[in-house]
Amino acid sequence: MDLSITVNGIKFPNPFLLGSGPPGTNARVLAKSFEAGWGGAVAKTISLESNKVVNVVPRYGKLRSRHDGEVIGFENIELISDRPIEVWLEEFRHVKKEYPNNVLIASIMEEYNKERWQELTRIVQDTGVDGFELNFSCPHGMTERKMGSEMGEHPDLTEEVTGWVTEVTKIPVWAKMTPNITNIKEPAMAAVRAGVNGISAINTILSVIGVNLDTLRPMPTVEGYTVPGGYSSQAVRPIALRMVSQLALALPQETSISGIGGIENSHDAIEFMLLGASTVQICTGVMLQGVKMVEELQEGLTKFMSDKGFNSVQELVGKSLPYFSTHMDLVKKMKEARRHKAGEAARDNEWAQKDITEKTAELTSN
Ligand SMILES: Cc1cc2nc3c(=O)[nH]c(=O)nc-3n(C[C@H](O)[C@H](O)[C@H](O)COP(=O)(O)O)c2cc1C
């Protein structure tokens, strides 16, 4: 089965991408994932000055099922990449040369400064990456420097900064949305107005993973203290699915969607595609299962397509969107269905069961 899909003019060997984060943190892991069968990857977010990025340990926290200990939620307070930009530029060139058919997307982030954003865009573009993802969505740490979700939470900033990037790009640009906002359509439409080709959604949801009842310290605890961090993994999937469907119904036809949030297997990935995503990204799932999980993704999608008679991945994108409606319409449909059922129940051979006058009244509208 051919699992390829062309999105914004880029041919993806399959719709499965590593999401920006630890799975795409250097050339070695990117190469390993392409060897394993991933169609593409969004590399870990980079900026011009890595020396400003200092991570803490520990920086992850898990929420486990009370029933069997399975990880259902994951919090991180990790920052963007702490590796120097020169190293990244070299690695982007190298990875693109070694894996020309896999799609490499650079995730970039900078401070509120036009020159810096445009410089970063230009030097990364020169390495031959296939596209950009603008990180307007990291919800912690970077926000103290007015970066990440500080921009994605304010549609006017999203539009302005996106415009700086699209002014100098020749390759497709996606903007990655934060879910920590009331109406995700607003920053997404702002990015569209400024010329993006696609929207990636969602980044992590602000969270506190728990409190240690021995020490009374909230987690993850660093030297006794914490900050709220980004929540990911399977618990966020329903929220991500809702946001992706809202975007798919609102965005212009030509704006692509890359669906992200809690995907762990082919079933989850297909749900995102049916709700409008042309590609899907997986971050925490890869951290917990390893890059080999792509084998099940490919097998599951292939089986689904042949079972359901889909001839291309493109055909299933957005297939379930027509089944969203309004609550008022659901009520109307339900009433109609009931009337229909009533009609079915009122077949002629029932006449003898009831008094003829009663039956006549039942079928009379006035
Ligand atoms: C440890 C960790 C680090 C992350 N770093 C980044 C990042 O650098 N840039 C970014 O855009 N998203 C980052 N993310 C967010 C993910 O790409 C993704 O949007 C989110 O985790 C939801 O998807 P998932 O449930 O598949 O992880 C990170 C997530 C995790 C768990």
Side-chain angles (χ1 to χ4, degrees):
M1 180 81 76
D2 177 9
L3 296 185
S4 70
I5 183 165
T6 300
V7 184
N8 308 134
I10 307 174
K11 184 170 181 189
F12 292 77
N14 62 57
F16 305 118
L17 317 187
L18 296 179
S20 185
T25 208
N26 61 45
R28 255 191 338 271
V29 289
L30 288 168
K32 209 169 133 195
S33 71
F34 291 157
E35 293 290 342
W38 290 82
V42 182
K44 178 82 185 161
T45 304
I46 55 171
S47 66
L48 287 173
E49 284 174 286
S50 61
N51 57 359
K52 288 189 181 167
V53 179
V54 182
N55 268 306
V56 293
V57 180
R59 55 180 181 265
Y60 305 147
K62 290 174 176 169
L63 181 73
R64 292 180 181 278
S65 154
R66 293 200 165 103
H67 169 63
D68 59 5
E70 183 186 0
V71 177
I72 52 175
F74 190 95
E75 184 196 327
N76 84 86
I77 52 171
E78 179 168 303
L79 303 179
I80 59 172
S81 179
D82 58 10
R83 304 174 68 236
I85 183 75
E86 301 75 35
V87 174
W88 270 108
L89 297 177
E90 187 43 44
E91 292 195 357
F92 282 151
R93 275 195 196 92
H94 175 74
V95 172
K96 237 7 261 181
K97 190 159 149 268
E98 296 294 313
Y99 300 92
N101 298 324
N102 293 90
V103 178
L104 180 59
I105 294 176
S107 169
I108 56 172
M109 177 195 278
E110 254 308 324
E111 290 171 8
Y112 179 70
N113 177 305
K114 182 173 178 179
E115 282 68 42
R116 290 176 75 92
W117 270 96
Q118 293 196 331
E119 185 192 347
L120 181 60
T121 304
R122 279 201 195 91
I123 58 178
V124 173
Q125 181 163 255
D126 286 347
T127 64
V129 294
D130 298 286
F132 281 110
E133 187 177 82
L134 313 183
N135 183 342
F136 293 140
S137 46
C138 179
H140 50 83
M142 309 314 293
T143 50
E144 290 165 22
R145 288 170 56 202
K146 306 278 174 242
M147 295 161 83
S149 63
E150 266 298 307
M151 289 176 181
E153 285 175 12
H154 298 100
D156 49 339
L157 284 182
T158 309
E159 184 166 352
E160 184 180 13
V161 176
T162 303
W164 297 342
V165 173
T166 53
E167 207 176 282
V168 293
T169 42
K170 303 180 199 89
I171 54 178
V173 179
W174 297 349
K176 185 167 175 182
M177 294 293 119
T178 175
N180 302 308
I181 183 160
T182 311
N183 183 356
I184 197 165
K185 290 179 279 181
E186 285 183 11
M189 289 306 292
V192 168
R193 283 196 296 278
V196 292
N197 308 87
I199 297 290
S200 305
I202 58 172
N203 206 314
T204 49
I205 302 173
L206 263 186
S207 61
V208 175
I209 204 74
V211 180
N212 182 322
L213 297 193
D214 286 330
T215 63
L216 314 190
R217 305 298 173 127
M219 300 181 287
T221 321
V222 180
E223 306 304 331
Y225 293 83
T226 197
V227 287
Y231 196 41
S232 62
S233 192
Q234 58 172 291
V236 310
R237 194 168 61 249
I239 297 166
L241 285 171
R242 186 261 297 179
M243 289 186 157
V244 163
S245 66
Q246 285 182 314
L247 289 170
L249 291 166
L251 292 172
Q253 185 91 45
E254 65 278 12
T255 308
S256 65
I257 298 177
S258 193
I260 321 166
I263 299 173
E264 297 190 330
N265 56 32
S266 55
H267 174 276
D268 305 343
I270 293 166
E271 288 183 321
F272 275 87
M273 303 187 78
L274 290 171
L275 295 187
S278 316
T279 59
V280 292
Q281 301 182 26
I282 306 176
C283 178
T284 312
V286 179
M287 293 172 71
L288 299 175
Q289 297 181 48
V291 291
K292 288 259 190 268
M293 70 179 286
V294 74
E295 288 166 17
E296 189 283 328
L297 292 171
Q298 294 198 26
E299 281 160 21
L301 179 58
T302 302
K303 182 171 185 314
F304 173 80
M305 286 171 60
S306 70
D307 285 355
K308 294 282 175 191
F310 288 110
N311 296 312
S312 72
V313 174
Q314 182 63 55
E315 270 178 36
L316 65 105
V317 174
K319 253 307 198 244
S320 299
L321 287 172
Y323 308 115
F324 282 98
S325 187
T326 59
H327 192 273
M328 212 183 265
D329 185 52
L330 299 187
V331 172
K332 187 169 144 247
K333 285 192 160 58
M334 208 173 65
K335 281 187 182 150
E336 275 166 11
R338 228 185 262 151
R339 212 177 297 146
H340 180 73
K341 273 184 209 132
E344 297 250 294
R347 294 207 173 271
D348 289 355
N349 60 8
E350 282 184 25
W351 280 87
Q353 289 163 21
K354 284 189 181 164
D355 178 79
I356 195 162
T357 56
E358 227 179 274
K359 193 73 192 165
T360 306
E362 201 179 278
L363 296 176
T364 307
S365 66
N366 58 354

